[in-house]
Amino acid sequence: MARLGLETDIVDRNVFANTVARFREAKITLPTFAELAAPWTIPASIRDGLASVGPDEAHPLNLYRVNWYNGPDRRAQIQIPDHFVVPEAVTGTKAKIVVVLGRNFPMIEAHKVLAAYACLAPRVVTGQFDPTTHRALWPSTGNYCRGGVAISRIMRCRGVAILPAEMSRERFDWLERWVADPSDVVKTPGSESNVKEIYDECARLDRDPHNVIFNQFCELANHLAHQEITGRALAHVFESMHARRPELRLRAFVSATGSAGTIGAGDHLKDRFGTKIVAVEALECPTMLENGFGAHNIQGIGDKHIPYIHNVMNTDVATAVSDAATDSLEVLFSHPAGREYLQSRKGLSGAEIDGLASLGFSGICNVIAAIKTARWFDLGPDDVVVTIATDGAAMYGSERERILASRFGGKLDAVAAAEIFGQHMAGVTVDHFAELSHVDRKRIFNLGYFTWVEQQGVGVEEFEARRDQAFWRKLRDKLPIWDERIADFNRQVRGA
C-alpha cells in the first residue's frame, strides 16, 4: 500500500505532528482533490490572495493553481479549461480535434505538476512523509520531476529530480534554478526511452531511508488525479461545445501513455460518454503494438515497459507516431517559413498558427494520433476527438535548433515547409493503428509482468488484481477519504 501511495490512515503520528508544525510555520495549507477539480469552490480568501502571487513563485498559494482552469496569463481563473480546435485545413478531417492545453499550469507550464501534487499530498497528510527529514525523489523524463521539485520546494522539503541526461537543455536550466543543491539533479544514461536506467538509479537511492521515491509509473494517485480532475476538465470542455451543438458526440480520447497517468482521464470519459480510449506510443519504440524497443525523441512519453497504473484492460486502441513527424512539425509550426506557409497556403489565422506553435513534442504526437483515430473510425463533423498538450514549446527551443540543423541543413524555406506538411500532416495514414481485442489487451497487460513482478518486486496477486475493472472503480473511494484527511490536516495547521 505504501509503495503504491494508497494509505488513507495516519501511519506515523510523530511524522504527522512534525509536518503540521512545519506547515504551520510556513503558512502552508493544501487544496483538496475536489477543489482542484472545481477550483471555483476554493475559498474566496485564497482566490483573492492569488491575485498578488505570480504563477512562477514558490508560494504556498500556487498549490491552489494546480488545476485546468488557469487562463493564458496563468493567473486568472477561467470558466472553461483553455483549449483550441485544430483547423480542418491542418487535420484534413471533418471531425473536431480538440486540444486542451497544459501550458497554463503554475511553476512548470505543464500539467505534470498535478501528478506530483497528487502523489505527495496523500503521503503528507497520512504521516508517511516528513518534510523535516525526508527527501522527495522524482523519477521522470522531464516534466514530472520538474513538477515534483516545484511542489517539494513549496512544501519546504528537498526535492530530487532523476531524469535522462539527453533530455532538452531547457529542462535542466529550469531545474538548476529550482533545486536546493546541484546534486539534487541526477542524470541517468540515455534519452526518452531509457526508463529502466531511471529505475536502477532509484533502487540505488532507495537504500537511504531518508529518501522517499514517488515513482509516477506505479503511484496510483497519479491515475486517480487524472481520472477525477483531468477527466472532469475534459468533460467540461466537451459539454461547453455540446451546449452549442447538441448533436456532437465525444467519440475518442487520445493520450500518449508516458507514465499512464493522463490516460486515466479516459476512464472518466468512457464512463460518462462511452468514449474510446486511444493509447499512443513512439513508432521507434512500439512496446504496445509489437512488444518492441528502441529510442526516440518524443519527450514526455517514456516507454519500453507498461506502467503499473495503465488500466490496459479498459484501453480500446494502441497506435504509434514517429518522432520524424513530431520533430519536423515542431520546426514547421515555429519557424517563420513554416508560419508563412500555414498562413498563405493553408489560410490559417495568426491565432491558429500560434496555437499550433504552442505545442510541445508530445502534444504534436497526440494531434497526429487524433487524426489517425478520426480517419480510422470514419468520423464526421458531429464527432469530437479530445486530446491534451502536456506542455508548450517553451521547453524545446534547443531541440528545435538541433533538429533544424540535423534534418534541414540549418534552414527552412517554402519548399521544405510544404514537404513537411505534405509528409507529416496531410500524409497521416492509419498505419500502426490497432483496435484492441480482449486477447490484445491481455498481451499488453502481461508484458507488464516483467517490469513489475520480476524487476520491481510487486506480488503476482497484487499485479493480477488490476485486470478487473472493479479494482480501478474501488480505487476512487480513496479520493474523498484523502480529502477528509487534507481538510483535517489544514484545520490543525491553522490551529482550529
Side-chain angles (χ1 to χ4, degrees), residues 96-173:
K96 307 291 185 292
I97 294 177
V98 181
V99 183
V100 183
L101 301 171
R103 65 187 183 188
N104 298 342
F105 276 79
M107 284 86 75
I108 70 169
E109 299 182 63
H111 84 288
K112 285 283 191 170
V113 71
L114 170 60
Y117 176 80
C119 293
L120 182 52
R123 303 290 185 96
V124 165
V125 300
T126 54
Q128 296 179 83
F129 184 88
D130 187 339
T132 68
T133 60
H134 286 142
R135 295 198 310 169
L137 273 56
W138 304 96
S140 167
T141 56
N143 284 326
Y144 174 74
C145 69
R146 292 196 303 123
V149 165
I151 296 295
S152 300
R153 183 167 164 182
I154 289 175
M155 292 193 187
R156 304 300 190 268
C157 62
R158 192 167 173 181
V160 177
I162 306 169
L163 72 165
E166 296 176 23
M167 303 306 289
S168 71
R169 185 182 68 216
E170 288 80 4
R171 281 167 161 77
F172 292 104
D173 290 345

Side-chain angles (χ1 to χ4, degrees), residues 4-22:
L4 302 176
L6 292 177
E7 295 285 359
T8 53
D9 295 326
I10 295 178
V11 174
D12 188 320
R13 292 199 172 272
N14 290 329
V15 168
F16 182 85
N18 286 344
T19 307
V20 167
R22 168 63 66 89

Side-chain angles (χ1 to χ4, degrees), residues 4 6 33 114-115 118-119 215-231 259-268 277 308-312 314 469 471-476 479 482:
L4 302 176
L6 292 177
F33 287 87
L114 170 60
C119 293
N215 186 343
Q216 61 173 330
F217 299 93
C218 67
E219 290 267 339
L220 284 158
N222 182 5
H223 165 85
L224 283 170
H226 286 297
Q227 185 275 326
E228 178 69 11
I229 298 170
T230 302
S259 69
T262 304
I263 203 169
D267 288 7
H268 180 92
I277 301 172
Y308 190 85
I309 66 171
H310 184 180
N311 185 3
V312 172
N314 202 35
Q469 291 310 297
F471 169 88
W472 300 93
R473 288 192 293 271
K474 187 171 178 56
L475 279 180
R476 301 171 195 177
L479 290 173
W482 284 338

Side-chain angles (χ1 to χ4, degrees), residues 81-353:
D82 197 12
H83 64 281
F84 71 94
V85 179
V86 185
E88 184 183 336
V90 173
T91 67
T93 175
K94 296 289 185 182
K96 307 291 185 292
I97 294 177
V98 181
V99 183
V100 183
L101 301 171
R103 65 187 183 188
N104 298 342
F105 276 79
M107 284 86 75
I108 70 169
E109 299 182 63
H111 84 288
K112 285 283 191 170
V113 71
L114 170 60
Y117 176 80
C119 293
L120 182 52
R123 303 290 185 96
V124 165
V125 300
T126 54
Q128 296 179 83
F129 184 88
D130 187 339
T132 68
T133 60
H134 286 142
R135 295 198 310 169
L137 273 56
W138 304 96
S140 167
T141 56
N143 284 326
Y144 174 74
C145 69
R146 292 196 303 123
V149 165
I151 296 295
S152 300
R153 183 167 164 182
I154 289 175
M155 292 193 187
R156 304 300 190 268
C157 62
R158 192 167 173 181
V160 177
I162 306 169
L163 72 165
E166 296 176 23
M167 303 306 289
S168 71
R169 185 182 68 216
E170 288 80 4
R171 281 167 161 77
F172 292 104
D173 290 345
W174 186 97
L175 286 166
E176 287 174 7
R177 296 193 300 271
W178 277 77
V179 293
D181 187 275
S183 65
D184 290 339
V185 179
V186 179
K187 299 178 181 179
T188 56
S191 61
E192 181 62 38
S193 294
N194 295 93
V195 176
K196 171 64 164 56
E197 289 76 4
I198 296 173
Y199 288 166
D200 291 344
E201 183 63 16
C202 285
R204 184 185 72 81
L205 293 169
D206 197 33
R207 293 195 288 267
D208 183 339
H210 292 100
N211 290 336
V212 178
I213 297 171
F214 295 89
N215 186 343
Q216 61 173 330
F217 299 93
C218 67
E219 290 267 339
L220 284 158
N222 182 5
H223 165 85
L224 283 170
H226 286 297
Q227 185 275 326
E228 178 69 11
I229 298 170
T230 302
R232 289 186 180 278
L234 300 180
H236 199 175
V237 170
F238 172 70
E239 287 167 343
S240 71
M241 300 173 65
H242 188 263
R244 297 189 298 272
R245 286 193 53 194
E247 69 275 15
L248 291 179
R249 298 170 295 176
L250 184 54
R251 295 294 299 276
F253 167 58
V254 172
S255 176
T257 47
S259 69
T262 304
I263 203 169
D267 288 7
H268 180 92
L269 299 176
K270 178 177 278 192
D271 287 349
R272 195 157 170 183
F273 305 107
T275 307
K276 291 185 181 296
I277 301 172
V278 180
V280 191
E281 61 187 357
L283 180 59
E284 288 74 15
C285 189
T287 307
M288 291 181 291
L289 285 175
E290 300 177 11
N291 292 2
F293 54 89
H296 66 89
N297 192 47
I298 309 179
Q299 299 188 24
I301 66 167
D303 36 33
K304 284 186 186 170
H305 79 305
I306 305 302
Y308 190 85
I309 66 171
H310 184 180
N311 185 3
V312 172
M313 302 306 291
N314 202 35
T315 302
D316 300 291
V317 170
T319 188
V321 172
S322 172
D323 69 359
T326 54
D327 279 359
S328 300
L329 288 169
E330 204 283 333
V331 171
L332 175 74
F333 296 156
S334 301
H335 194 279
R339 294 175 66 91
E340 169 60 26
Y341 172 83
L342 293 171
Q343 181 179 35
S344 63
R345 298 304 299 270
K346 296 299 169 184
L348 270 60
S349 67
E352 290 171 329
I353 296 170

